[in-house]
Amino acid sequence: MSFDTLTDVPLHRIFDYLDLKTLLQSLSCTCSYLHEAVRSYNAFQLDSIPISTDDIKRIRTSIPAQNIISLMIIGSDQTQISELSEFINLQRLTLVGINYTLLNNIFTHITSTRLRTLSIKIPWLSRKEIRDIFDILLLFIHQSNVTNLLLDISDIQLKEQNGQETLFNMMQPFINILRCLNIFYCCYRSYKQILTSYSSLQSLEINHLQVDYSGKILLDLSTDIVQFRSQLTSLTLNSYELSIDNLRLLLQLTPLLKNLHLTHNHSHYDFNTMCNGFFWANFIKLNLKFLKTFQFTFGHHVGSHTSYTQYPHEIIARFKTPFWLEDKHWHVQCEFNLSTSNVIVSTQSIDPISNSETIFRCNSISATDISYVILNKYRTSDLESKYTEEV
């Protein structure tokens, strides 16, 4: 069966699973038939590749503008912005580092009636400039068919509670379409305001969550658990001061979570609890019954007297249960840095090591086995290929 016996429709469905580089640099150059098939493909997604406004004209020479359904634009010169009027089938638009003038210019030239999702990353600006951006954004939304707003304001590092509340009040007009929010700093009162006010919010990312340790906050948290439940399905929390007790109460406010991402550095007591697979298994079964993805990175500095083989082995042993390995298929690795006496426990790949570091790393691979290696910058050698416990 040759390619020329296939219709464009089956080919285009295959193209849906290929990246842009494969389509343009490989398939399109194979033969004239595939070249034309790629040119006629009407679902190009460019929202994972940031381009400047000056690049728009160049892209149009390779891909017909009407065949692009998603686009990411980063702030730059305003040349060629008028070219956006040719993207008549745009469904998703992502804007990064856009000021008021450029945003107004972009919105003026967008003609697509199919645009439903708008994602904006706002840079650090004055309060007046942010308000101006929100005003033009609101005007555009009222005049378009946008129903999903993804807002990244993580560059706006407001730590004052009054400043946070003012910012969130400015966002009130988007209450029914705000689906995703990424912020840098958030206190508990602001966190509660987000969960209670933005009922349509599906995803929340906080780069630094601050919760007071006072008894009043703990009492408020306990009361809030009874009074309301958030509809949030995805949560990312990066915290360096949050206690395990506060974290436990906070997560009880979001029982519908499907995706949870945690980054945490704190005291020895909280670290041991954070890294307790039995604790998390019981907590998830009771409070996060819909959780599908759980990614975490927990860090702690231990004394040089700590055994670099025994300690990681004890931690990993807590995650070798049927809940982790069979029910959820969540695998955990532990790194002991012999150079700094830092321990990292994570479900994700850990950053490469530097020249001066030596790492002892172990991974949970089954209910009875743990694999571990010693790593340094110049060599990777098996300490043993596998350690098998007696059962």
Side-chain angles (χ1 to χ4, degrees), residues 188 192 211-227 246 249 253:
Y188 175 66
K192 178 182 175 181
V211 176
D212 191 351
Y213 287 97
S214 68
K216 182 180 184 303
I217 293 294
L218 289 174
L219 180 61
D220 288 345
L221 270 166
S222 302
T223 303
D224 291 336
I225 291 172
V226 177
Q227 291 181 344
N246 280 339
L249 292 172
L253 301 176

Side-chain angles (χ1 to χ4, degrees), residues 200-212:
S200 299
L201 193 66
Q202 300 171 356
S203 176
L204 176 61
E205 180 173 344
I206 302 176
N207 295 333
H208 190 99
L209 178 63
Q210 175 68 51
V211 176
D212 191 351

Side-chain angles (χ1 to χ4, degrees), residues 7 16 40 42 90 150 184 189 223 233 302 313 325 355 375:
T7 64
D16 289 342
S40 64
N42 61 358
L90 204 61
L150 287 65
F184 174 78
R189 281 183 58 183
T223 303
T233 58
V302 298
H313 176 252
L325 299 177
N355 291 343
L375 307 168

